[in-house]
Amino acid sequence: MITIRRLVTAVLALLAVPIAAIATAAPSHAMAAVPTGGCTASSTQSVSSAYGTSYQPTAAQVASTDVVVKIDTSNGADIDSLQTKYQLGVTSAVLASRGIYLVHSADCNGGSSAQQLADELAADPDVVYAEPDSTVELKATGFSEWSHGSPMPASEADYTSQPAVAQLRLHLAHRFSTGRGVTVAVLDTGVDPSQPALASRLTPGWNYVEDDADTDDVADAAGGQAVGHGTFVAGLVALAAPGAQILPERVLDGAGNGNVFVVAQAMLDAVDAGASVINLSFGTDEQLSSPVITDVINLATRAGVLVVAAAGNDADDMPHYPAALPRVLSVAASDTGGRGLATFSDFGSWVDVAAPGQDVVGPVPGGGYAIWSGTSMAAPLVAGEAALLFATPGHPSAARVRITIEACHDPLYGGGTAYGVVDPMSALGAALWW
């Protein structure tokens, strides 16, 4: 494990392999910056909203200036004393109740880089951890047979009757649970609310990129190469758990860029909104574990929420984060036959289970359907399975849901995961005490 003082800026990637509802009010943790420092606006980040109209930093700017810091408040330390000691400005205080702040140097003469500032803060006894606010960047883009604006290669029938449905025995499983009453948060590029496959299944979410209530999955000023990923992922949750509600949280822009502070904020908002499952179809190829993400996942788990994450598409056994964190249910991709791992999928003892992830059919913006492969596709199918289990009588705990998913599996030929290929029908049988 790399310590916080050695952290470099991590690059996160949506975990997909290229092969050929609107809210009216902000969530409880909506972005709100606290401008500080004596410098002029031209020399500091004095902002009214970290991602609002007065200041919209690029991913590179965020990575080069902002630091996530957690203060040890048990000894009476607070943000005011830290600001005075290090000449800090507060970019965002939305996680202040947990002692976590997004800060930057308010030194009018330039100050330190984010890495230097993080190292300096991390050495302070009043600081639990400090890290540069790592960027999130889409690495692999493109649908296997779909380019934006072209005719769709798949149909609704292809979506509802695809091989993954038979492999997971979803038609039989839905006789016993549809996930009704359960909310699954999808942190991604947003979701197209007009997509028929998701009609009436979306709950009001938040757009953390533009700091508003429009969570649509569309191109924006940053571009559009990532557009469709969030809609596709949400569609696979709906396929596995048609009765569940989906909470769309847009943490990545149209180009697939964001940062870990926003992801952490969105996860906490999902917990506050009553989500039982959080799906993260992205991870870092830098093999680094972000302290703030780890911290928030631990908080979510203690609140009874199951976090599901894609294992990665590097075709190796190097731990991939956040999937490799102990409290995350990590998901690899099985091949088209459903018995072995897809060639692109990560593997190893740190990977918990596998699910269909090769040539999967899902909905895309504009009302159509397309084909895509990746552990990004496998994770939401398992998130949907978790929703089926959460909806069973007795209101099982997140720990029991996870154990049931892991225990009730089919063999994975050739190995590669700690357990095997998920089997929702067997898991429901165990949950219903058959």
Side-chain angles (χ1 to χ4, degrees):
M1 182 69 65
I2 298 177
T3 63
I4 182 62
R5 296 189 188 183
R6 295 177 56 202
L7 277 175
V8 298
T9 299
V11 179
L12 300 184
L14 294 184
L15 301 182
V17 173
I19 305 175
I22 300 178
T24 57
S28 59
H29 298 295
M31 274 287 188
V34 182
T36 59
C39 303
T40 64
S42 61
S43 60
T44 68
Q45 290 184 14
S46 180
V47 295
S48 62
S49 175
Y51 295 91
T53 56
S54 64
Y55 174 62
Q56 289 188 305
T58 64
Q61 288 171 328
V62 169
S64 65
T65 59
D66 284 345
V67 170
V68 182
V69 59
K70 182 171 183 176
I71 300 170
D72 183 2
T73 57
S74 63
N75 296 322
D78 57 28
I79 187 61
D80 293 336
S81 59
L82 211 64
Q83 283 183 264
T84 301
K85 188 185 297 185
Y86 296 101
Q87 289 187 277
L88 299 179
V90 178
T91 307
S92 180
V94 296
L95 304 182
S97 64
R98 298 165 177 87
I100 301 172
Y101 297 84
L102 189 64
V103 302
H104 59 272
S105 174
D107 185 347
C108 298
N109 295 318
S112 305
S113 70
Q115 187 61 62
Q116 292 171 324
L117 180 58
D119 289 343
E120 188 176 7
L121 291 173
D124 193 300
D126 291 333
V127 172
V128 179
Y129 60 72
E131 63 171 314
D133 190 25
S134 308
T135 57
V136 180
E137 181 181 359
L138 179 62
K139 286 288 188 178
T141 62
F143 294 88
S144 60
E145 299 178 36
W146 176 64
S147 59
H148 298 187
S150 66
M152 300 301 174
S155 66
E156 181 180 3
D158 295 326
Y159 166 64
T160 57
S161 61
Q162 62 181 297
V165 172
Q167 290 169 15
L168 299 178
R169 298 191 289 169
L170 291 178
H171 290 317
L172 183 57
H174 293 162
R175 296 181 184 180
F176 303 95
S177 176
T178 63
R180 183 178 178 83
V182 176
T183 297
V184 179
V186 173
L187 277 63
D188 219 289
T189 61
V191 177
D192 179 7
S194 66
Q195 166 57 246
L198 299 169
S200 74
R201 294 177 181 173
L202 301 181
T203 63
W206 194 253
N207 181 339
Y208 297 86
V209 177
E210 297 173 333
D211 197 21
D212 61 33
D214 186 357
T215 57
D216 203 352
D217 190 0
V218 295
D220 53 27
Q225 58 264 43
V227 170
H229 191 274
T231 300
F232 200 102
V233 167
L236 295 179
V237 173
L239 183 71
Q245 292 292 293
I246 296 170
L247 171 64
E249 295 191 313
R250 187 170 186 250
V251 298
L252 304 175
D253 62 22
N257 299 321
N259 61 69
V260 298
F261 188 79
V262 162
V263 171
Q265 179 192 350
M267 281 195 288
L268 290 175
D269 284 344
V271 173
D272 290 343
S276 296
V277 188
I278 295 175
N279 186 83
L280 307 175
S281 282
F282 51 79
T284 173
D285 56 10
E286 296 283 349
Q287 316 302 336
L288 301 177
S289 175
S290 162
V292 69
I293 294 296
T294 303
D295 197 11
V296 171
I297 286 175
N298 290 342
L299 285 168
T301 303
R302 289 196 293 270
V305 178
L306 180 63
V307 179
V308 179
N313 304 322
D314 299 318
D316 62 33
D317 62 355
M318 293 294 292
H320 204 85
Y321 295 94
L325 294 173
R327 295 192 176 188
V328 174
L329 183 62
S330 56
V331 186
S334 60
D335 58 21
T336 53
R339 294 301 183 183
L341 279 186
T343 56
F344 56 79
S345 180
D346 282 2
F347 55 88
S349 59
W350 58 275
V351 183
D352 297 305
V353 296
Q358 186 169 355
D359 296 336
V360 179
V361 181
V364 291
Y369 299 83
I371 302 168
W372 214 352
S373 294
T375 56
S376 270
M377 287 66 245
L381 291 173
V382 177
E385 177 186 5
L388 299 181
L389 295 173
F390 272 113
T392 56
H395 304 290
S397 66
R400 182 178 173 187
V401 166
R402 175 173 180 165
I403 291 171
T404 303
I405 291 173
E406 293 173 339
C408 301
H409 61 270
D410 290 330
L412 182 66
Y413 298 118
T417 63
Y419 299 96
V421 181
V422 296
D423 184 347
M425 190 57 223
S426 293
L428 281 170
L432 296 170
W433 293 93
W434 289 353

